Amino acid sequence: MSGKITPYNDTSRSKKEQVAEMFDTISQNYDGLNRVISFGIDVKWRKKVVNIVSNTKPERVLDIATGTGDLAINLAQSKAKEIIGLDISAGMLEVGKQKIKAKNLDTVISMVQADSENLPYEDNYFDAITVAFGVRNFEHLEKGLAEIYRVLKPGGVFVVLETSIPTKTPYKQGYKFYSSYILPTIGKLFSKDKSAYSYLSESAAAFPYGEAFNNILKKIGFIEVQDAPQTLGVATIYTATK
Ligand SMILES: C[S@@+](CC[C@H](N)C(=O)[O-])C[C@H]1O[C@@H](n2cnc3c(N)ncnc32)[C@H](O)[C@@H]1O
């Protein structure tokens, strides 16, 4: 399902390679574009994720697909002793490292280049794990989620923030228009990578959300799975534990 939609429709290369290349290419203007395409609402959604995590008073936190590190930086409010931001794109991580250094958070947050489908950590290591707008980019969704389950401590919290699709009229139609025409146009105008923003909307349209994603989490073994649609359903925050 998520494996079929790739950034460059290049059948000779894995989705993972194409995703890493795409994010390397757009890394320098990713933050600015993110604010424009979500009208800045993504900041509010990330804050909610941080509140959920902070309430559990974690010591070790892993932010997977951290990109330029916004969520990892905000997670520093949780007072965790160790925060790791992990991503496959060296370009995205580099932008994030500069932001972390500028905020003097480099003693708490480390940025690690690794693959979510093969996490370099022992079992039951993290008290909290987050993924914001990352799971739909995984090449093998269930493999990535199973790795997250493996490194999460029993009783730890897993929070996913991901795009979803409004189900009610007229928001459903409005969203379709926005994601099919406005989003790719903004992407083409402002991004160096013409395919990137078509990929982002196509992958969002094809990705399971709500009950369908809850069921995938449950299949992996997560318990107490809940979904909370945000802003008319254009994004959803999923919470689960082990
Ligand atoms: C849309 S960005 C989200 C970045 C950040 N979490 C945010 O909220 O702005 C998706 C990120 O997922 C990363 N990614 C995709 N597949 C990955 C994988 N298998 N392992 C680690 N990171 C991955 C990409 O490199 C990219 O930085």
Side-chain angles (χ1 to χ4, degrees), residues 31 63 66-74 92 96 99-100 109 111:
D31 284 345
D63 180 40
T66 195
T68 59
D70 275 1
L71 186 54
I73 290 168
N74 286 307
M92 295 288 273
K99 283 158 57 176
I100 289 165
I109 307 172
M111 298 292 256

Side-chain angles (χ1 to χ4, degrees), residues 184-211:
T185 307
I186 297 173
K188 279 178 189 148
L189 282 177
F190 293 102
S191 172
K192 278 194 284 174
D193 191 324
K194 304 286 173 235
S195 333
Y197 286 84
S198 309
Y199 161 77
L200 290 179
S201 48
E202 280 166 26
S203 61
F207 196 73
Y209 62 95
E211 206 48 39

Side-chain angles (χ1 to χ4, degrees), residues 19 23 30 34 46 65-67 87-89 114-116 132-133 137:
V19 163
F23 282 105
Y30 175 83
N34 227 359
R46 281 195 191 79
T66 195
D87 204 282
I88 42 166
S89 160
D115 179 3
S116 63
F133 306 112
N137 294 296

